[in-house]
Amino acid sequence: MNAAKRLEIFTRFRAANPSPKTELDYTTPFELLIAVLLSAQATDVSVNKATRLLYPVANTPATILALGVDELASYIRTIGLFRTKAKNVIATCQILLEQHGGEVPRDRASLEALPGVGRKTANVVMNTAFGEPTMAVDTHIFRVSNRTGIAPGKNVDIVEQKLLKFIPKEFLHDAHHWLILHGRYTCTARKPQCWNCMIADLCDYKDKSPMPAVV
């Protein structure tokens, strides 16, 4: 795929959705951090259901820490790996209070030092909470990048670096959200909806699926 096609792809994404947002519910950087941490191997819908119960009760490092692991686990038990995540959240809250004055750090090294926070989570927080032009490559972005030819790579690190290199700078801040939403609702895993895709004519994917027949 050449630079002209990439430019047109992201121009269309922006025209269709000028201000893309995460589908996780949050009002502060801390709420976002916890929501993203909980979202590993879970859907945004399931995380939102849990945090809608949790955040009115506890939505700061101090108040969540005060809950303790067992009580926190009771709020998030509908989310996969909830026991491990509860332990990581409590440990994260303690570190935030002891080392960061209760605030979410803005730099990658400090974020990745938090329990349960890897590069992808750090990228989401840096991008969504603090406006950094980072690229959090999840399964949707990895699939879309390879399938379309925007930034093919054998692993998430290669895809991330290629996306940062190839996407025009004016689109970098929002590209993460556009690609996730495109993978979640159009370029789906089992069968991409090519007949309903705004970039089908620019995509390198050869086996484009036709519109289903009306019965």
Side-chain angles (χ1 to χ4, degrees):
M1 179 174 291
N2 58 39
K5 281 188 175 182
R6 291 190 185 95
L7 176 63
E8 178 60 22
I9 284 172
F10 287 97
T11 298
R12 291 184 190 180
F13 282 155
R14 182 172 62 186
N17 187 2
S19 301
K21 307 293 183 187
T22 178
E23 293 186 321
L24 290 170
D25 294 336
Y26 76 99
T27 58
T28 66
F30 175 74
E31 287 186 356
L32 175 66
L33 170 64
I34 299 306
V36 178
L37 197 157
L38 295 176
S39 71
Q41 299 181 48
T43 66
D44 289 358
V45 171
S46 68
V47 173
N48 289 338
K49 285 181 179 179
T51 58
R52 282 171 195 154
L53 298 175
L54 171 64
Y55 287 163
V57 175
N59 68 338
T60 66
T63 54
I64 288 184
L65 183 62
L67 291 178
V69 172
D70 290 341
E71 190 170 355
L72 174 60
S74 71
Y75 282 98
I76 65 171
R77 63 174 58 254
T78 55
I79 301 173
L81 306 174
F82 73 93
R83 292 191 186 280
T84 298
K85 290 176 181 179
K87 292 176 182 177
N88 285 336
V89 169
I90 292 297
T92 287
C93 290
Q94 189 155 10
I95 292 172
L96 291 178
L97 289 166
E98 291 176 353
Q99 300 180 18
H100 302 286
E103 299 294 324
V104 176
R106 300 174 70 105
D107 65 287
R108 180 185 303 284
S110 296
L111 284 166
E112 290 187 13
L114 299 172
V117 176
R119 185 176 182 86
K120 183 179 75 173
T121 298
N123 277 336
V124 172
V125 173
M126 291 169 67
N127 177 275
T128 304
F130 302 127
E132 298 292 334
T134 56
M135 186 61 59
V137 180
D138 68 351
T139 55
H140 296 300
I141 292 182
F142 185 78
R143 178 176 67 254
V144 170
S145 298
N146 276 285
R147 185 183 276 165
T148 62
I150 291 173
K154 293 181 179 179
N155 59 56
V156 294
D157 292 333
I158 292 174
V159 169
E160 178 184 341
Q161 294 308 312
K162 284 190 174 182
L163 286 170
L164 292 173
K165 178 181 178 181
F166 292 148
I167 295 174
K169 289 184 179 179
E170 65 180 295
F171 301 111
L172 266 180
H173 177 260
D174 292 325
H176 160 252
H177 296 300
W178 287 322
L179 291 171
I180 283 179
L181 294 171
H182 191 65
R184 186 171 288 167
Y185 297 111
T186 303
C187 196
T188 51
R190 289 190 178 182
K191 192 175 184 63
Q193 300 177 28
C194 302
W195 67 90
N196 192 36
C197 175
M198 70 178 74
I199 63 166
D201 58 315
L202 303 167
C203 169
D204 288 348
Y205 185 55
K206 302 218 182 321
D207 190 21
K208 290 187 169 65
S209 51
M211 181 183 293
V214 178
V215 178

